[in-house]
Amino acid sequence: AAKASGKASWARFEPRMHSEVVNHARLGSELHNAIIRHELELAYQPVFDLVTGLMAGAEALVRWRHPVRGLVSPADFIPVAERSGLIVPLGSWVLREACEQLAKWHAEYGAAAIRSINVNVAARQLRESGFVDEVAAVLSDTGLIPANLVLEVTESSVLDGRQVRDTLQALHELGVRLALDDFGTGQSSLSLLRAFPVDVLKLDKSFVDGICDGEDRGRLAVAAAVAQLAEYLDLYAVAEGIETAAQAERLREMGYRLGQGYFMAKPLPPAEMAELMIRTVLPVTAA
Ligand code: C2E
Ligand code: MG
Ligand code: MG
Ligand code: MG
């Protein structure tokens, strides 16, 4: 009887599974063309210094302008790209485009430009044996130095095994900084922070959402603990997904020097980003 009902539930489940597979396959093949047809764009979300209010950097976030579907969210196509392996060429495009854009800003605005750019990197990219060479080549082609680049990786991709660990170590030795994205949501183990050359902790938005909610002591506790941890380990702490002045203020009090969120700025097209940048970056003055 158990077997029969198992079968029956499969029979009911199958059509939905099938259509999902077909959808993803279609999205996957369209995504393949998207790279060739130049349908991908980058938006830039500024990171602000919560103490001075000045812009401290920015994160590059990929956008897909689909000819029929319109703007497709990365939350919808990044997982598809990861499963199909398309994330590797897509990620290569993002890395090069973001570095080229930063180099242009440096050339155009000099000290009024942000110094560094954050680029998201998927586990699959880190597993490619040529990834470190690729990063080095992009930096040299664009004339950037390793300190101009911050790579954002998730805890789960860091835990992917020996090869990924060696890659992260090599990137660190090159001088590229590493940020742990969505920090607090993964299989966090504090020993991870000692075993890997991490420079930045990005507190996940889900904790920021809870900090001003008097009922939610749990998320507040995580947010506060991550700030403390960063201070003790001499890492930068960045809070992401800040939507209100109250959250920004509370995070600043907790010790977050840096923050990112709609309250300060949404991800912006390059021209709007540049406009905001030249008004809010503190020019580096000669000592
Ligand atoms: P993420 O790297 O954690 O990026 C932060 C996400 O939070 C972005 O969503 C950003 O627009 C959103 N966000 C920032 N501030 C706020 C806020 O105040 N409120 C709300 N509601 N959202 C906020 P986005 O651009 O949709 O990207 C989603 C995720 O897709 C990213 O999360 C990242 O995991 C992935 N992704 C985006 N671009 C790339 C890429 O080039 N490569 C890879 N591998 N993944 C990417
Ligand atoms: Mg990120
Ligand atoms: Mg994040
Ligand atoms: Mg996230």
Side-chain angles (χ1 to χ4, degrees), residues 41-43 45-46 59-63 72-79 82 87 90-91 93-95 118-123 125 152 154 181-182 202 204-205 208-209 239-244 247 260-267:
E41 299 170 8
L42 293 184
Q45 187 175 34
E59 177 176 11
L61 293 159
V62 70
R63 300 288 179 261
V72 186
S73 159
D76 293 326
F77 68 86
I78 291 291
E82 282 179 344
I87 192 70
L90 189 153
W93 180 83
V94 170
L95 175 67
N118 286 31
V119 174
N120 292 285
V121 173
Q125 290 175 272
E152 298 197 359
T154 61
D181 205 354
D182 305 334
K202 295 192 77 171
D204 191 67
K205 179 182 192 313
V208 171
D209 288 342
E240 60 180 6
I242 302 174
E243 292 183 343
T244 68
Q247 288 170 346
Q260 192 179 342
Y262 294 176
F263 172 63
M264 288 87 82
K266 288 198 169 184

Side-chain angles (χ1 to χ4, degrees), residues 28-262:
S29 70
E30 289 178 353
L31 190 55
H32 182 80
N33 291 327
I35 301 173
I36 302 162
R37 293 181 186 157
H38 305 287
E39 291 168 10
L40 300 180
E41 299 170 8
L42 293 184
Y44 296 89
Q45 187 175 34
V47 176
F48 285 92
D49 184 315
L50 295 176
V51 177
T52 63
L54 295 166
M55 196 187 292
E59 177 176 11
L61 293 159
V62 70
R63 300 288 179 261
W64 180 10
R65 203 170 289 280
H66 189 284
V68 178
R69 296 173 203 254
L71 212 56
V72 186
S73 159
D76 293 326
F77 68 86
I78 291 291
V80 177
E82 282 179 344
R83 275 195 295 275
S84 65
L86 270 177
I87 192 70
V88 173
L90 189 153
S92 292
W93 180 83
V94 170
L95 175 67
R96 188 166 284 273
E97 178 68 21
C99 288
E100 283 175 359
Q101 180 63 80
L102 183 64
K104 278 187 214 157
W105 284 333
H106 283 179
E108 198 162 343
Y109 306 113
I114 48 172
R115 294 285 86 207
S116 61
I117 196 85
N118 286 31
V119 174
N120 292 285
V121 173
R124 200 93 175 224
Q125 290 175 272
L126 294 173
R127 268 190 258 129
E128 293 286 302
S129 60
F131 187 69
V132 180
D133 291 341
E134 180 186 341
V135 170
V138 168
L139 291 173
S140 105
D141 291 350
T142 53
L144 296 179
I145 58 170
N148 296 142
L149 183 62
V150 182
L151 296 179
E152 298 197 359
V153 299
T154 61
E155 295 150 273
S156 57
S157 60
V158 166
L159 292 168
D160 206 11
R162 180 62 193 270
Q163 203 201 334
V164 166
R165 182 153 57 171
D166 290 348
T167 296
L168 295 175
Q169 191 58 47
L171 288 166
H172 176 73
E173 280 160 22
L174 190 66
V176 167
R177 276 170 294 159
L178 298 173
L180 272 186
D181 205 354
D182 305 334
F183 191 69
T185 59
Q187 304 295 310
S188 297
S189 115
L190 299 183
S191 57
L192 191 78
L193 299 176
R194 292 180 52 87
F196 291 94
V198 173
D199 305 282
V200 182
L201 300 181
K202 295 192 77 171
L203 178 74
D204 191 67
K205 179 182 192 313
S206 57
F207 302 104
V208 171
D209 288 342
I211 59 168
C212 291
D213 176 352
E215 306 289 288
D216 198 343
R217 302 281 301 162
R219 288 190 286 182
L220 177 72
V222 173
V226 169
Q228 289 280 300
L229 191 63
E231 194 187 325
Y232 286 130
L233 294 174
D234 217 6
L235 308 172
Y236 284 95
V238 183
E240 60 180 6
I242 302 174
E243 292 183 343
T244 68
Q247 288 170 346
E249 177 61 16
R250 199 82 172 81
L251 288 159
R252 198 183 56 72
E253 286 166 3
M254 273 179 204
Y256 285 88
R257 181 77 198 230
L258 300 170
Q260 192 179 342
Y262 294 176

